[in-house]
Amino acid sequence: MKNKILMLGFSETDITPSKPIETIGFGRADELSRGILHPLSAQVAVWQLGEERCCVVTIDHIGFSKQHANTLRDEMAKVLCISREKIMLCFSHCHCAPNESASPEYYRSVCDRVKDAAALALQDMAPVNAVWGNAFTNIGLNRRKDCNALDRRIGILKICDSRSGKLKLLLLRLTAHNSVLKADNYLISPDYFGTVRDALRKEFGCPIMVTQGASGNIAPRYFKSAINPPDANDERFIRSDTALEDMAKTVLYDIKPVVMSLCPQKIDQLSMYSRQIELKADVPSYPRAMEIADEAQKYCGIDGTDWLKQVQHLLQNDIHQQTEKIEVQYFSLGNGCLCGVANEIMVEFALRVSEFLHNDFFYFGGYTNGCTGYFPTEEEFDKGGYEVYWSMLIYYVYHGRVFPLRRDSASELIRFVTENAPNI
């Protein structure tokens, strides 16, 4: 491919609901939206180098079910004349967007608009140069006060038109939960990803795509809420009426000198591919399930009645373990790579993989091609709590299992990701 030219086409579309709609992200009894704070977007970048064509999509959503995500990928594949594994859906994991599983009409609308955007991106193809860079930031904090693990990298992919040199697109990878707005907000919003895109577009004069990192246990430093949320409950976190803008200003301040110093070059390597790994989750005994439900009610006010019924149903049918097939997808461009799984992986996953590969431009993240729940490290697994057990009582209906993946699954996945990474 050394004599081939890298091509990029880009398009974006509005996916804001037109009427009040059930949202997802807080497990509230009333999840109906009450207006629009900021519009939601989906963005499509189509890449081609020689015969290789692939597509990266960013969507303002907590993360579709894997079935819904794959249906969209299959429909986009027909538009772009490529296979499903050549399409990577990167969900922002914002908690103030519609529940697509509860609104087939909204889901269908998003699919149609994203497919239209893909067709427009294909018409926008132009030769480009690109370069990866890293800035470093402090927008996130580990939810555990006694844990300092953080991925401070802001991965930057700077893309310029190869003929004019004009900046065509900036793609960022951030690592902090997209949950500046908390459970007392009922307005539709892309959360801080939206204000980051707006601030950077104004500064650099080009579209901005933002993807999410391994942020399962990383909360935003700033938050806007009148309540005391469980993920911002100590003096490290900053309550602010301008929290969304504060996050964006921090990102802009940290990346600007790096972006200005980066010089895009000709790229001769592009690939996107997937690998599958199968992992197991146990079904808890009923006494253990009751203990977990009691803890969830006591510490988070979570009603585990339905979850307990599902656990009981599985046990009565002699089902003591469940299996999850995890798709690990790689988008490799030049000397950098975005790699993702649908799970909410902890930050240690990204840090360990990058260290094993000796590549600071390898970015392992979650919320890719869906969202299937928290995936703790062994250390987090031992601590239990919301990320390990309690969240399952709310979202098990979307994840296809009632319990976290087994303790050793973290090491298995990290090994698998590393072994299947591209040679760059």
Side-chain angles (χ1 to χ4, degrees):
M1 291 189 181
K2 294 188 180 298
N3 296 321
K4 304 296 183 181
I5 299 173
L6 179 66
M7 306 288 286
L8 169 67
F10 175 84
S11 182
E12 57 189 320
T13 184
D14 190 303
I15 57 169
T16 311
S18 59
K19 57 186 179 183
I21 192 169
E22 181 179 323
T23 59
I24 185 170
F26 296 107
R28 301 172 296 202
D30 175 15
E31 287 280 15
L32 192 66
S33 66
R34 302 175 187 175
I36 309 297
L37 183 61
H38 300 113
L40 305 178
S41 295
Q43 300 167 302
V44 179
V46 178
W47 301 85
Q48 183 148 353
L49 183 64
E51 298 300 316
E52 177 74 2
R53 177 185 292 174
C54 58
C55 179
V56 176
V57 185
T58 58
I59 302 176
D60 287 332
H61 194 275
I62 198 167
F64 288 178
S65 68
K66 285 202 293 187
Q67 179 182 355
H68 279 180
N70 285 335
T71 296
L72 173 55
R73 293 167 75 195
D74 288 339
E75 293 182 7
M76 291 186 68
K78 293 178 182 177
V79 174
L80 297 174
C81 300
I82 53 181
S83 63
R84 177 199 289 180
E85 74 165 12
K86 299 294 184 181
I87 297 173
M88 174 183 278
L89 305 183
C90 300
F91 293 98
S92 69
H93 199 61
C94 63
H95 289 52
C96 308
N99 181 349
E100 103 290 348
S101 293
S103 179
E105 180 183 355
Y106 178 75
Y107 168 67
R108 188 67 260 153
S109 171
V110 171
C111 289
D112 291 342
R113 293 181 187 186
V114 172
K115 286 192 298 179
D116 289 344
L120 291 173
L122 204 55
Q123 298 173 18
D124 181 57
M125 303 294 282
V128 295
N129 292 332
V131 62
W132 291 93
N134 276 323
F136 296 89
T137 191
N138 291 306
I139 60 169
L141 293 166
N142 198 292
R143 287 182 178 179
R144 306 275 192 186
K145 192 175 181 180
D146 60 348
C147 183
N148 295 319
L150 288 172
D151 189 349
R152 296 183 58 245
R153 294 175 298 169
I154 298 180
I156 304 167
L157 181 59
K158 180 178 180 180
I159 306 107
C160 291
D161 186 287
S162 63
R163 295 167 297 195
S164 67
K166 182 179 179 181
L167 190 56
K168 184 176 177 70
L169 177 69
L170 284 175
L171 187 153
L172 302 187
R173 183 267 201 175
L174 303 176
T175 303
H177 234 74
N178 199 12
S179 58
V180 168
L181 302 173
K182 305 302 184 184
D184 55 342
N185 172 70
Y186 286 84
L187 302 176
I188 295 292
S189 172
D191 209 270
Y192 82 90
F193 272 35
T195 49
V196 165
R197 291 193 302 254
D198 291 345
L200 271 58
R201 183 190 288 262
K202 182 178 180 180
E203 178 69 29
F204 297 109
C206 72
I208 310 295
M209 296 183 80
V210 184
T211 64
Q212 185 63 269
S215 61
N217 55 342
I218 304 300
R221 178 180 294 273
Y222 298 92
F223 73 101
K224 181 180 180 180
S225 179
I227 63 175
N228 294 317
D231 59 343
N233 59 2
D234 63 63
E235 72 281 357
R236 299 174 301 153
F237 296 93
I238 301 171
R239 189 190 303 269
S240 169
D241 286 339
T242 58
L244 293 171
E245 292 76 16
D246 296 337
M247 293 286 283
K249 288 178 182 177
T250 302
V251 170
L252 175 57
Y253 178 84
D254 291 333
I255 74 161
K256 186 174 180 179
V258 179
V259 171
M260 301 304 292
S261 70
L262 291 173
C263 298
Q265 306 291 326
K266 182 179 179 182
I267 299 294
D268 59 12
Q269 188 278 325
L270 170 70
S271 66
M272 183 179 286
Y273 61 92
S274 292
R275 299 290 183 265
Q276 302 277 344
I277 181 173
E278 190 173 279
L279 297 173
K280 305 289 186 182
D282 294 317
V283 176
S285 68
Y286 197 73
R288 177 63 179 133
M290 290 183 66
E291 289 178 359
I292 292 169
D294 288 344
E295 291 171 355
Q297 179 65 53
K298 178 180 178 180
Y299 294 108
C300 289
I302 295 172
D303 182 1
T305 303
D306 291 339
W307 177 78
L308 283 170
K309 290 179 181 177
Q310 180 62 17
V311 171
Q312 187 176 44
H313 171 76
L314 292 170
L315 294 173
Q316 288 175 343
N317 286 275
D318 201 29
I319 298 173
H320 298 279
Q321 72 174 26
Q322 294 176 296
T323 300
E324 181 173 342
K325 290 184 179 180
I326 294 177
E327 176 185 6
V328 181
Q329 190 177 27
Y330 301 82
F331 167 60
S332 176
L333 178 73
N335 65 337
C337 182
L338 295 179
C339 176
V341 292
N343 311 77
E344 291 198 55
I345 56 174
M346 305 297 183
V347 70
E348 290 88 347
F349 285 74
L351 297 175
R352 292 170 189 172
V353 169
S354 180
E355 181 180 356
F356 289 153
L357 294 172
H358 306 290
N359 186 354
D360 287 336
F361 299 135
F362 189 96
Y363 309 100
F364 188 26
Y367 320 106
T368 304
N369 302 319
C371 182
T372 59
Y374 286 102
F375 195 148
T377 60
E378 290 90 347
E379 297 89 344
E380 290 292 321
F381 190 99
D382 293 340
K383 293 176 181 178
Y386 181 83
E387 292 87 353
V388 181
Y389 298 120
W390 305 338
S391 63
M392 298 300 299
L393 278 63
I394 303 172
Y395 301 115
Y396 73 94
V397 292
Y398 305 107
H399 303 333
R401 53 184 168 84
V402 295
F403 219 49
L405 295 167
R406 289 175 178 167
R407 186 182 185 278
D408 60 355
S409 297
S411 295
E412 287 189 53
L413 181 61
I414 290 169
R415 173 191 55 77
F416 185 83
V417 170
T418 304
E419 289 177 353
N420 288 279
N423 293 317
I424 52 178

